[in-house]
Amino acid sequence: MNLKQKYGQRALVAGASEGIGAAFSHHLAAEGMDLVLISRGREKLDLLAASLRNTYPVEVDCIYADLSERDVAIKIKEQVKELDIDLLVYNAALSFIGAFEKNSIEEQEQLAQTNMITPMNMMKLFGEPMLKKGKGAVILMASLAGFQGSGFLSAYGASKAFNRVLAEGLWYEWKSRGVDVIACCAGATSTPNFIDTKPEKASPFAPKVQAPEEVVSECLKVLGKKPSFISGRGNRIASFFMQKIMPRKMAIMIMGDTTRKMYRI
Ligand SMILES: NC(=O)c1ccc[n+]([C@@H]2O[C@H](COP(=O)([O-])OP(=O)(O)OC[C@H]3O[C@@H](n4cnc5c(N)ncnc54)[C@H](OP(=O)(O)O)[C@@H]3O)[C@@H](O)[C@H]2O)c1
């Protein structure tokens, strides 16, 4: 059974125009699902939508919206109106690399809105009809940075922990009602956003950087089977040592030291 047969006709990808979001969009369209794609910028999103329509026999709608705005989830729900959303991917995130105190209160609130409040509101607004129908799926993008305190990514890491814990809780609440929920915990992934940060290799033992397509195909394989998962074998091994073998303090030190080295802080 493919994703369309299992969940339904249409998926919504929030943060779709590039990187992991674009890879999700391609994969879902290849499975025959119609799409609603969201990003702020029009140009890249329109190009992606055109390429998907040319490649696959699917309908693609675009919504240009800023997921950091208050009440944006309600506005998006109003815009899609009669279209049933059967699979929701919340991919967009805001991250600040560097000292926590350098960001303004407004910037921190923008991060909280984009990374926590909007995905939580979208889960409620789009999850309710899925529960009524007794089928559907939600994927929240989380990160290895959310498994312990992640110095110089502190607020971002905390927001990714929120997504993992939210998805895991709703996996339990919704699994008996036909709705699959998963937190996709990625490690370093070669998205335009990641490449723009110009990261340096922090250690010869650092796990391999994954391609967005690898993260997406691993995630869609385990959707419905697990409440959360870590993509990439190297990331799973690193996480095993950091979470199961090392004292928590050591895991936090390694994470902070790695980010310091990667970003020359
Ligand atoms: N890349 C990594 O190494 C990595 C590692 C672990 C976890 N993750 C997680 O994977 C997800 C994707 O990361 P990414 O690196 O691909 O980059 P990203 O910047 O989080 O996502 C890029 C996509 O989201 C859209 N977007 C960003 N902010 C938005 C906003 N406020 N409103 C609407 N759309 C917005 C962008 O388009 P516009 O700019 O046009 O809006 C673009 O389409 C994130 O949740 C991230 O936490 C990434």
Side-chain angles (χ1 to χ4, degrees):
M1 201 191 290
N2 71 14
L3 293 170
K4 181 173 158 184
Q5 288 157 344
K6 188 165 183 195
Y7 298 117
Q9 182 63 42
R10 186 172 280 99
L12 184 153
V13 183
S17 61
E18 57 185 23
I20 294 170
F24 267 115
S25 306
H26 273 284
H27 200 119
L28 296 170
E31 298 237 2
M33 294 189 85
D34 295 333
L35 296 170
V36 177
L37 307 180
I38 302 176
S39 76
R40 292 165 298 188
R42 283 173 183 259
E43 204 175 317
K44 280 188 201 150
L45 197 66
D46 288 347
L47 274 175
L48 173 67
S51 132
L52 292 171
R53 286 187 203 106
N54 286 337
T55 316
Y56 312 101
V58 295
E59 282 176 20
V60 184
D61 291 289
C62 294
I63 295 180
Y64 315 102
D66 185 346
L67 298 161
S68 73
E69 284 176 6
R70 203 175 289 265
D71 295 337
V72 65
I74 295 170
K75 287 181 192 147
I76 291 168
K77 177 75 180 155
E78 280 165 8
Q79 257 181 285
V80 301
K81 268 193 204 114
E82 72 282 0
L83 298 181
D84 279 351
I85 301 299
D86 304 297
L87 191 157
L88 166 67
V89 180
Y90 194 93
N91 173 68
L94 181 56
S95 69
F96 299 123
I97 300 165
F100 172 79
E101 69 281 5
K102 289 213 168 131
N103 289 109
S104 65
I105 295 276
E106 289 73 23
E107 286 170 326
Q108 300 292 20
E109 284 186 0
Q110 214 183 352
L111 182 147
Q113 183 75 44
T114 311
N115 298 6
M116 297 190 284
I117 298 172
T118 305
M120 181 167 65
N121 291 349
M122 287 184 75
M123 282 194 92
K124 176 181 163 52
L125 294 171
F126 291 100
E128 272 169 347
M130 292 179 196
L131 291 168
K132 272 194 197 129
K133 273 202 288 188
K135 63 175 187 170
V138 181
I139 298 166
L140 295 187
M141 280 308 299
S143 165
L144 293 187
F147 280 71
Q148 66 291 297
S150 295
F152 300 108
L153 285 170
S154 298
Y156 168 79
S159 74
K160 292 285 130 179
F162 175 92
N163 277 268
R164 179 160 67 102
V165 173
L166 177 67
E168 289 176 348
L170 290 176
W171 170 84
Y172 179 80
E173 282 188 44
W174 291 358
K175 71 183 164 59
S176 58
R177 302 175 65 192
V179 179
D180 292 331
V181 180
I182 196 164
C184 173
C185 306
T189 309
S190 58
T191 62
N193 190 32
F194 176 75
I195 293 163
D196 281 353
T197 64
K198 301 192 173 55
E200 273 175 17
K201 198 168 168 70
S203 131
F205 306 110
K208 170 182 154 285
V209 175
Q210 286 198 289
E213 296 71 22
E214 292 177 286
V215 175
V216 167
S217 66
E218 281 188 45
C219 174
L220 292 172
K221 268 188 206 136
V222 291
L223 175 63
K225 298 187 180 128
K226 292 177 172 196
S228 60
F229 90 106
I230 296 170
S231 68
R233 191 163 174 271
N235 293 327
R236 283 192 287 278
I237 293 169
S239 179
F240 175 80
F241 279 103
M242 289 176 73
Q243 306 309 319
K244 300 265 185 348
I245 308 283
M246 288 175 195
R248 191 159 175 86
K249 185 171 157 189
M250 193 188 283
I252 296 167
M253 294 293 292
I254 288 178
M255 197 68 191
D257 289 352
T258 303
T259 305
R260 226 187 235 282
K261 279 190 200 137
M262 271 173 90
Y263 295 109
R264 305 159 293 277
I265 295 167

